Amino acid sequence: MENDSIRDLVTVRDEHGNERQFQVEALFEMNGQSYAMLRDGEDTLVMKVEDKGGDQFLVGLENDTEKSHLLDAYQIAVEAAPAEE
């Protein structure tokens, strides 16, 4: 059965100006910081959510260790409290 739920879509521009559209899979907090997990058909990104002047921006993570810890923590949280079907 296909999942027909509508997800929020965001467009991410890389450092070269290339744009890609991603689905917002999850928003979560860790250590007082907000993060977004984004997916397209090929990749999964974890980005920081920053507030500036009432607007929210997605900021890429530079540290591979930080990315890994966030993905591990997210996986543990999902396994501990799976979504209802």
Side-chain angles (χ1 to χ4, degrees), residues 10-13 24 26-28 33-38 46-61:
V10 295
T11 301
V12 176
R13 183 178 303 136
V24 178
L27 295 170
F28 59 98
Q33 177 63 54
S34 295
Y35 296 92
M37 179 181 289
L38 310 174
V46 177
M47 300 184 82
K48 228 180 249 191
V49 179
E50 293 188 356
D51 291 313
K52 291 184 183 176
D55 292 324
Q56 290 185 326
F57 298 91
L58 295 173
V59 178
L61 302 175

Side-chain angles (χ1 to χ4, degrees), residues 15-31:
E15 63 274 5
H16 304 290
N18 301 316
E19 293 184 349
R20 288 175 57 192
Q21 196 167 46
F22 289 85
Q23 292 181 341
V24 178
E25 286 292 317
L27 295 170
F28 59 98
E29 287 193 28
M30 187 168 155
N31 298 327

